[in-house]
Amino acid sequence: MVKQPEKIAVQGTVHKITYHHPDTNYTVLRLDVENAPGVTVVGTVYPVSEGEEIKVFGFWKTHPRYGQQFQADHWEKVDPATLEGIEKYLGSGMIKGIGPTYARRLVDAFGLETLRILSQEPHRVLEVEGIGAARARGIMQAWEAQRGMQDIMVFLQGHGIGAVLALKIYRFYGLDTIRRVKDNPYALARDIYGVGFVLADRIAARLGISGDFPLRVQAGVLHVLKEFVDQGHCFVLFSALIRNAASLLRVGEGVIEDAVEKLAASGDVILEQTTSEERAHVYLADLYRAEQRVAEALHRLLSSPSVTLGGGRKSVPGSTAEPRELIGLTDLELIDQSFAILEEEQQEAVRQALQQKVLVITGGPGTGKTTLLNSLLALLRRAKFSFVLAAPTGRAAKRMAESAGEEAMTIHRLLEYNPHEGGFQRSEDRPLEADVVIIDEASMVDLALMDNLLSAIDRHSHLVLIGDVDQLPSVGPGSVLRDLIDSGMIPVVMLRRIFRQDRHSLIVANAHRILQGQSLVTQSDNSERDFILLARESEEEILQSLKELVKEKLPRTLNLAADEIAHAIQLLTPMHRGMLGTIQLNREMQSLLNPIGDSLQRGEILLRANDKVMQLRNNYDKGIYNGDLGRITDIDRKEGKVHVDFYDKTVEYNDDELDEISLAYATSIHKSQGSEYPVVVIPLHMSHYMMLHRSILYTAVTRGKKRVVLVGSRRALAMAIQNVRLERRYTGLKEKLAKL
């Protein structure tokens, strides 16, 4: 862990503001300190003006070009105590309507009482020569806004919130910030990315909210529920919620039960009663309703006439399309020879896709999902039926487009997501105009996205979901693909036979051996085969081998140029912490592959130009999503900005948005879902004990396209293969489907 310098405080008068960026509020200023040389202060120090007395908290650092600087973490205002300081402060131009001339007149009129009068008796500015009613109103409004923002920033920083996060809060709540935070500090955790329950609870404690205060207990219950949702669950068992919330808040379980009942009465949570001793399933209300809507939409889709059977689109308001007859497979098979080359189960999948309103096609690597998709598309083209192709992520959509030779897009783009127009523009009122909707990588589709997708599919259309049910489930809550299969209500085609051209791939063979609990077929490190095991026991040995592989052996074997290494080779690890976790491995790989260049420190993470990075959450405004990979193309230290090329677009991040990205030379296996990399390197060690199970190893191995290298202990590998623990999620979709 990088050791942070010790924080100190420096107080003085702002002599000159050298630079200030209007968007990021990154500021460079010169501070006059009594009985000491002037100090250069850098950071988010805003709003301040020349002549203002401030106290800055932070640490010293040495810039390679500009020398010694004081890096500000947070600051507080100190009203100027001299006539000269007050005049310079008011005359700086920060207060609209007050320039140097009126600043001098105000100080001449009120002396050391000037600032107090502006705050407490602002009407008295009318006593000053040259200030009429209109100018007085302008001065009072500008003063209130300026001092209001300063008060807010000082209030937030005084409650342990850093300057960058304080600015983010101010941008969200505006001048109403202090009231909103005092009314409900826990709303910060809901509204502001980067504020968790622990920080909100600490602020609440400073405001006198603690113990079993109802607002605190209800916020704590919702926090525990959201933690389970973040782990992929749609509901929590009542007993588990009570137990976890009582432990977090250190209150009695009876207090938690009362809070749950109040949240249920207010509609924030839904209690779904069961016959078990657990009493109930506890849902966040939005997730419960989403499960209900998904089940109802699938039932509606299954029970409506097929467009291929003559149900047609003329029943859709405004549609002029004529109903058509069922596709003549016999005729089309003669025209389209690709259908004839399919294996029998692939042919059955194509037939079912044309005949069933909803179909799931699932199979592992090498089972021909892409080949049958291309045959299905060929038949749809011949029959002049319209279709759309989509996938959950941009990378998956790009792969789908390349293999199908047709346009494919993200589901968000398909549904025309617009954050400024209320979200998804496609819905039941404006459905997709396609006879067949085909979704690839369906295992990645979470409950909320499936809810929005189904609402936008016309009841006469067909829906084909293609995916690998043995992959890890979606990052978001739900286990939609598995629930659909397990419900028995949705037609399913299982592809089990390995397609001919993939039978010689050890990646494909070993992926299936993992699912069957069999030992792997491996090669030594000097092999040209596509699957290699390097047996190493200690974490230190594994790390050293990883560095040698990434820096020397794999680039030499695969003939990779230096600037191609990071793009071609992806480290996938089960954990975030530890010597072989994502955090430490990213530091090691950054030092190895990208050791020099413009950089920007963000907490414990150092970002550098040309670094490989990953987006950590959905950002609909920027059009980038959780798991998207990119490369830093430019770092502006002065403005605190970073530009990232996500291969199809360049995105700009301000200083207060940098917590949305992280280094991505190494990523967690969970984050790799739906991705495919030329080369995958996977460290395995017993320190990963909690994450060593079959589905996580299978997911990691199937991410590799050309080569997979396992580096680690045989014991850890054997444990991962033998541990059949599924990533069990608490979901109710299967049961809701069965009830309809």
Side-chain angles (χ1 to χ4, degrees):
M1 183 177 290
V2 179
K3 186 178 180 182
Q4 293 292 324
E6 184 178 353
K7 227 176 255 188
I8 58 174
V10 175
Q11 182 172 328
T13 303
V14 178
H15 175 73
K16 182 177 178 59
I17 296 176
T18 307
Y19 175 81
H20 172 253
H21 190 275
D23 294 328
T24 66
N25 290 311
Y26 180 85
T27 304
V28 179
L29 60 84
R30 193 70 174 168
L31 197 67
D32 286 342
V33 180
E34 190 175 355
N35 300 322
V39 173
T40 298
V41 177
V42 298
T44 309
V45 184
Y46 179 80
V48 295
S49 58
E50 293 176 3
E52 189 168 10
E53 186 87 3
I54 62 173
K55 190 173 186 178
V56 187
F57 300 84
F59 52 86
W60 292 104
K61 69 173 188 177
T62 301
H63 189 278
R65 181 176 175 184
Y66 300 110
Q68 192 176 47
Q69 298 176 333
F70 191 81
Q71 177 70 52
D73 178 70
H74 68 281
W75 64 280
E76 61 186 39
K77 62 180 179 179
V78 180
D79 282 341
T82 66
L83 295 177
E84 182 183 2
I86 294 171
E87 183 178 330
K88 189 172 183 180
Y89 167 48
L90 293 177
S92 65
M94 184 167 277
I95 312 300
K96 189 177 180 180
I98 303 179
T101 299
Y102 283 102
R104 188 178 309 111
R105 291 181 184 179
L106 284 164
V107 172
D108 287 344
F110 303 124
L112 295 176
E113 291 284 290
T114 302
L115 300 183
R116 185 194 66 78
I117 286 171
L118 284 170
S119 296
Q120 299 176 16
E121 303 176 75
H123 60 278
R124 290 188 59 190
V125 299
L126 288 167
E127 300 173 14
V128 177
E129 180 188 354
I131 296 181
R135 182 178 291 274
R137 279 195 302 273
I139 289 173
M140 285 186 275
Q141 290 170 357
W143 176 260
E144 183 179 2
Q146 170 68 14
R147 297 293 275 194
M149 183 178 179
Q150 283 191 340
D151 289 343
I152 289 166
M153 297 295 285
V154 171
F155 168 80
L156 293 173
Q157 293 179 70
H159 285 81
I161 298 174
V164 172
L165 193 53
L167 186 60
K168 189 183 290 189
I169 294 168
Y170 171 75
R171 283 176 175 167
F172 190 88
Y173 291 137
L175 292 173
D176 205 26
T177 297
I178 294 177
R179 184 191 66 78
R180 297 276 295 269
V181 172
K182 285 183 174 179
D183 284 350
N184 184 6
Y186 298 101
L188 289 167
R190 178 195 66 213
D191 296 334
I192 311 297
Y193 180 73
V195 179
F197 176 81
V198 173
L199 177 55
D201 198 39
R202 191 185 311 146
I203 295 169
R206 294 186 179 188
L207 296 171
I209 300 172
S210 60
D212 60 0
F213 193 87
L215 180 65
R216 176 176 186 261
V217 179
Q218 290 182 32
V221 168
L222 291 174
H223 168 70
V224 172
L225 259 175
K226 287 170 184 173
E227 279 194 322
F228 275 90
V229 169
D230 289 342
Q231 295 168 24
H233 302 290
C234 292
F235 67 79
V236 185
L237 295 175
F238 183 86
S239 59
L241 176 61
I242 300 302
R243 185 169 58 251
N244 280 271
S247 175
L248 170 72
L249 300 171
R250 298 182 181 178
V251 298
E253 293 189 356
V255 174
I256 304 297
E257 291 185 14
D258 290 342
V260 172
E261 290 177 4
K262 288 177 181 175
L263 288 167
S266 66
D268 292 296
V269 304
I270 302 291
L271 296 180
E272 185 180 60
Q273 298 299 329
T274 69
T275 57
S276 72
E277 295 179 359
E278 304 285 0
R279 280 187 57 189
H281 299 159
V282 187
Y283 283 84
L284 289 173
D286 288 346
L287 287 177
Y288 180 83
R289 296 188 187 104
E291 278 192 348
Q292 288 278 61
R293 286 193 298 266
V294 167
E296 291 166 0
L298 286 168
H299 177 72
R300 183 168 58 249
L301 199 55
L302 287 166
S303 59
S304 297
S306 164
V307 68
T308 64
L309 290 171
R313 296 189 174 281
K314 64 182 182 180
S315 60
V316 179
S319 174
T320 58
E322 292 297 324
R324 288 166 287 188
E325 296 301 322
L326 176 65
I327 292 175
L329 282 176
T330 304
D331 295 335
L332 289 169
E333 287 165 20
L334 297 175
I335 299 171
D336 187 69
Q337 296 181 356
S338 66
F339 186 82
I341 67 170
L342 298 181
E343 301 277 359
E344 183 178 341
E345 61 184 11
Q346 293 174 310
Q347 292 184 10
E348 180 61 20
V350 173
R351 289 192 188 96
Q352 292 292 323
L354 297 172
Q355 295 170 1
Q356 301 291 346
K357 291 295 301 305
V358 183
L359 178 70
V360 170
I361 301 172
T362 183
T367 55
K369 295 189 295 294
T370 298
T371 304
L372 76 83
L373 171 61
N374 289 336
S375 292
L376 172 61
L377 296 181
L379 291 176
L380 291 174
R381 291 187 204 101
R382 299 285 185 187
K384 295 182 170 38
F385 277 79
S386 61
F387 56 84
V388 291
L389 307 179
T393 68
R395 284 165 293 156
K398 184 178 180 182
R399 281 206 323 277
M400 191 183 193
E402 289 170 350
S403 61
E406 292 278 354
E407 181 186 16
M409 61 192 79
T410 64
I411 298 174
H412 280 82
R413 185 180 159 208
L414 175 69
L415 302 183
E416 299 176 19
Y417 186 87
N418 187 330
H420 306 295
E421 298 292 335
F424 293 101
Q425 301 305 293
R426 292 286 184 175
S427 65
E428 189 175 359
D429 297 328
R430 186 171 169 255
L432 295 168
E433 298 170 0
D435 298 324
V436 183
V437 177
I438 304 171
I439 305 297
D440 198 13
E441 295 289 355
S443 64
M444 295 180 64
V445 179
D446 62 21
L447 179 66
L449 191 55
M450 181 58 76
D451 180 23
N452 285 288
L453 174 65
L454 289 171
S455 73
I457 295 178
D458 174 53
R459 64 168 59 191
H460 300 292
S461 298
H462 286 223
L463 172 64
V464 180
L465 300 170
I466 304 172
D468 184 350
V469 74
D470 292 310
Q471 299 283 351
L472 290 169
S474 58
V475 174
S479 188
V480 175
L481 188 64
R482 182 169 292 280
D483 283 351
L484 296 187
I485 294 171
D486 292 348
S487 73
M489 306 299 292
I490 308 296
V492 178
V493 174
M494 294 270 191
L495 302 177
R496 295 183 176 88
R497 188 172 179 181
I498 299 176
F499 210 54
R500 287 185 286 271
Q501 61 263 36
D502 290 316
R503 288 174 185 162
H504 300 294
S505 166
L506 285 184
I507 295 175
V508 171
N510 281 328
H512 289 273
R513 293 179 74 87
I514 289 168
L515 291 180
Q516 295 159 11
Q518 299 175 354
S519 60
L520 305 186
V521 178
T522 60
Q523 300 289 326
S524 61
D525 61 344
N526 60 1
S527 170
E528 293 298 318
R529 295 299 298 272
D530 62 358
F531 196 102
I532 297 168
L533 170 65
L534 300 181
R536 303 288 187 269
E537 290 303 318
S538 71
E539 289 184 292
E540 291 77 11
E541 288 176 317
I542 295 172
L543 179 58
Q544 183 58 35
S545 293
L546 292 176
K547 293 164 75 171
E548 291 171 358
L549 278 167
V550 172
K551 183 65 176 176
E552 302 168 9
K553 293 184 178 180
L554 286 171
R556 184 170 62 245
T557 302
L558 301 171
N559 196 28
L560 296 174
D563 60 352
E564 296 175 322
I565 296 174
H567 175 71
I569 301 174
Q570 184 64 52
L571 270 63
L572 298 180
T573 180
M575 307 283 279
H576 289 293
R577 299 289 175 182
M579 183 181 292
L580 300 176
T582 59
I583 297 171
Q584 184 60 33
L585 286 178
N586 273 315
R587 289 180 184 142
E588 297 282 355
M589 294 302 122
Q590 183 188 53
S591 298
L592 201 66
L593 301 176
N594 193 29
I596 59 174
D598 291 338
S599 62
L600 193 65
Q601 188 78 39
R602 186 70 172 89
E604 295 183 3
I605 298 176
L606 181 71
L607 298 174
R608 184 173 283 133
N610 292 315
D611 270 338
K612 184 178 184 179
V613 294
M614 174 180 281
Q615 176 73 14
L616 298 178
R617 72 180 185 99
N618 291 341
N619 187 318
Y620 300 111
D621 287 321
K622 295 182 185 295
I624 46 174
Y625 305 99
N626 188 355
D628 283 353
L629 288 176
R631 181 181 66 87
I632 295 178
T633 57
D634 179 63
I635 286 182
D636 190 329
R637 289 175 53 88
K638 192 173 183 180
E639 297 190 3
K641 285 188 175 183
V642 170
H643 291 86
V644 179
D645 178 11
F646 283 99
Y647 306 113
D648 60 345
K649 68 173 66 178
T650 298
V651 175
E652 181 181 272
Y653 292 84
N654 292 326
D655 182 61
D656 62 344
E657 298 173 320
L658 293 180
D659 54 358
E660 293 187 17
I661 58 174
S662 70
L663 295 175
Y665 299 100
T667 67
S668 70
I669 295 170
H670 279 83
K671 286 283 190 182
S672 73
Q673 291 168 262
S675 301
E676 192 174 71
Y677 314 99
V679 183
V680 165
V681 181
I682 308 164
L684 287 175
H685 187 262
M686 291 305 294
S687 61
H688 299 149
Y689 177 82
M690 293 298 294
M691 300 299 291
L692 293 177
H693 56 87
R694 192 174 292 177
S695 60
I696 204 164
L697 178 61
Y698 174 79
T699 298
V701 166
T702 53
R703 299 308 89 204
K705 185 175 181 181
K706 295 180 179 178
R707 182 162 299 202
V708 171
V709 185
L710 295 180
V711 186
S713 75
R714 294 184 183 276
R715 183 184 172 200
L717 176 59
M719 174 176 285
I721 293 173
Q722 295 306 314
N723 185 357
V724 295
R725 176 175 69 87
L726 292 174
E727 190 163 306
R728 170 76 199 285
R729 291 187 167 184
Y730 292 121
T731 67
L733 178 59
K734 180 176 71 172
E735 289 75 18
K736 289 179 175 63
L737 276 168
K739 290 178 182 178
L740 293 174

